[in-house]
Amino acid sequence: MSDDGHQQGGHERVPSRQRRRFPEISSRAYEHPADRSALVALRKLSGFDTVFKALSGLLPERSLRLLFLSDSVRVSDRQFAHLNDMLRDACYILDLEKVPPMYVNQDPQPNAMCIGLDEPIIVVTTGLVELLDEEEMRAVIGHEVGHALSGHSVYRTILLFLTNLALRVAWIPLGNVAIMAIVTALREWFRKSELSADRAGLLVGQDLQASMRGLMKMAGGNHLHQMNVDAFLEQADEYEAGGDLRDSVLKIMNVLPRSHPFATIRAAELKKWAASRDYQRIMDGHYPRRGEDKDTSVTDSFRESAASYAGQVRSSKDPLMKLVTDIAGGAGDLGSRVRRGFGSFAGGGAGSSGTPGSAGTTGSTGTTGTTGTGGTTGSTGSNGSTGSTGSASKEPPRDED
């Protein structure tokens, strides 16, 4: 536990509330399986960090450091002292030896980030500082310290560099296809790393309700008296289980451009992890140590990642995931279930003498096909003209940390 007045490795003036401390904790203790498997594989590549750190001259890291130093407020004993105490406490609890520099940047958009190759830098915006109370802010700072402990700042900077490099060669034939594959994979890892850092924030704050409130405020603003954590979590259940196969596809399309999971999903995932045996074992002092990281098996990490994804598919209430589970289990009459699931594309109707409930159905001779909402009506034609479908596009929401 953290103690009043404790001094070790520069972590003095620890706040008075008693919290458990995790000496030598490995980031593997709280990392999401998909995040962990990717990081273990990268760490096993001999010289990986060294080679890419040598490319730091090509990256804007030095420029960013100078920019924050010159145009932001550096957190210290004399500036934002309460944030400095939280930062030291977070590093003390997670046993991060070197306290990373932290800056407050003038920006009304609530956000925070951890960047850097040689050493991580934590940046929080004024919008975030003004939005959150002390315990909520403690969880966010723990979130960013978790990024630093996991090495996310290094790998994120590297992957962002590779993404920018790929964009410069978009003129190559089929380049857009390759770039989209890279970007999609990177964002999937980004999203899982955010779930890992949320867990680190909970280990630091050790207050699940504060973590929930912080995520809720980032979604709905500083109107806590108008919001309810339980109702907020119910939204996540409704989001996952509601709708049909069309909604499942739209969910995938909405999340692909994002680097962060949706706030309700993050809250639900964090609550699920807080109720797990893994979390309780960490709180009881049973967790992987950093000295054991070198012995970690890449194969075992990938196996855990695959098992995690398989478990999510099996337990998911999403219509598409349930269909995937049924296919894997050999459920019968899947064709009819797929047609029913996508029936809303046709507004629940059917073309004359066509297949019931299908989108853009081929009608019989001289029959007009019907489309779903936002589509156009298929023209009357001979030999079964096919109705065209349309969809209303929606700009994805802005990412927030």
Side-chain angles (χ1 to χ4, degrees):
M1 295 185 183
S2 57
D3 302 315
D4 293 346
H6 184 86
Q7 298 185 9
Q8 178 178 338
H11 301 294
E12 62 272 356
R13 297 199 325 185
V14 173
S16 59
R17 177 183 162 189
Q18 298 294 302
R19 293 182 175 83
R20 288 178 175 84
R21 182 174 180 256
F22 310 103
E24 279 296 307
I25 187 172
S26 168
S27 59
R28 292 182 292 117
Y30 58 80
E31 284 165 354
H32 187 280
D35 174 23
R36 183 167 60 245
S37 63
L39 290 177
V40 168
L42 288 174
R43 290 165 183 156
K44 287 291 184 179
L45 293 178
S46 177
F48 179 82
D49 289 352
T50 303
V51 170
F52 279 97
K53 283 182 179 181
L55 298 176
S56 60
L58 301 176
L59 301 173
E61 181 185 12
R62 296 177 67 89
S63 175
L64 286 174
R65 289 180 184 277
L66 291 173
L67 179 62
F68 289 127
L69 186 63
S70 63
D71 204 32
S72 299
V73 175
R74 182 164 57 190
V75 172
S76 67
D77 290 337
R78 295 181 295 166
Q79 300 187 116
F80 290 101
H82 70 295
L83 296 181
N84 191 52
D85 287 342
M86 293 182 198
L87 176 62
R88 288 179 178 274
D89 195 33
C91 293
Y92 174 68
I93 290 173
L94 294 181
D95 200 17
L96 185 63
E97 182 177 355
K98 186 173 182 180
V99 179
M102 184 163 74
Y103 293 88
V104 176
N105 183 46
Q106 170 61 32
D107 187 344
Q109 180 70 29
N111 208 350
M113 61 180 174
C114 182
I115 58 172
L117 286 175
D118 295 325
E119 63 178 23
I121 299 176
I122 295 174
V123 181
V124 297
T125 65
T126 52
L128 188 69
V129 175
E130 294 165 3
L131 177 66
L132 304 182
D133 65 25
E134 180 176 344
E135 292 304 308
E136 295 157 6
M137 194 69 196
R138 191 183 302 279
V140 169
I141 292 177
H143 173 111
E144 300 306 327
V145 170
H147 278 312
L149 181 59
S150 288
H152 288 160
S153 62
V154 174
Y155 299 111
R156 283 186 164 206
T157 306
I158 291 169
L159 293 176
L160 287 173
F161 168 71
L162 294 176
T163 303
N164 291 332
L165 184 64
L167 290 174
R168 294 178 184 178
V169 297
W171 56 270
I172 297 176
L174 298 180
N176 286 336
V177 176
I179 289 170
M180 285 306 300
I182 294 172
V183 170
T184 299
L186 295 184
R187 284 175 175 162
E188 169 65 10
W189 176 74
F190 282 175
R191 290 190 290 270
K192 293 301 183 287
S193 73
E194 286 300 310
L195 298 179
S196 297
D198 284 343
R199 297 175 178 183
L202 179 59
L203 291 177
V204 167
Q206 298 175 24
D207 185 342
L208 179 60
Q209 289 303 308
S211 295
M212 296 289 103
R213 291 198 311 269
L215 290 168
M216 189 169 62
K217 281 184 175 180
M218 281 187 240
N222 192 19
H223 302 281
L224 196 58
H225 64 288
Q226 298 284 353
M227 296 184 286
N228 180 278
V229 171
D230 292 334
F232 186 64
L233 291 171
E234 288 172 6
Q235 290 180 223
D237 291 336
E238 182 178 347
Y239 173 82
E240 182 182 6
D244 50 26
L245 291 178
R246 178 184 64 170
D247 295 305
S248 298
V249 174
L250 293 176
K251 291 175 192 176
I252 295 173
M253 294 174 63
N254 285 340
V255 79
L256 283 179
R258 296 177 59 92
S259 61
H260 292 58
F262 295 115
T264 56
I265 303 303
R266 290 172 65 179
E269 286 286 335
L270 187 59
K271 183 179 180 182
K272 185 187 304 181
W273 186 70
S276 70
R277 185 171 178 269
D278 290 339
Y279 174 73
Q280 190 56 55
R281 284 181 56 81
I282 296 174
M283 297 304 292
D284 290 339
H286 305 292
Y287 51 81
R289 262 64 174 182
R290 289 171 212 163
E292 305 165 355
D293 285 348
K294 63 181 182 299
D295 301 322
T296 305
S297 167
V298 177
T299 302
D300 289 344
S301 296
F302 277 112
R303 187 180 296 115
E304 290 179 18
S305 178
S308 174
Y309 275 114
Q312 289 180 20
V313 171
R314 287 193 300 269
S315 63
S316 176
K317 301 175 184 176
D318 182 84
L320 181 58
M321 294 300 101
K322 291 172 68 175
L323 180 63
V324 170
T325 303
D326 289 344
I327 292 174
D333 197 25
L334 288 176
S336 297
R337 295 187 60 182
V338 171
R339 286 195 296 271
R340 289 197 301 270
F342 282 102
S344 54
F345 273 122
S352 174
S353 301
T355 304
S358 60
T361 306
T362 302
S364 60
T365 304
T367 303
T368 301
T370 306
T371 64
T373 303
T376 59
T377 305
S379 58
T380 303
S382 61
N383 297 326
S385 300
T386 303
S388 62
T389 60
S391 61
S393 63
K394 181 179 180 183
E395 183 180 352
R398 183 195 296 261
D399 287 347
E400 295 178 356
D401 202 357

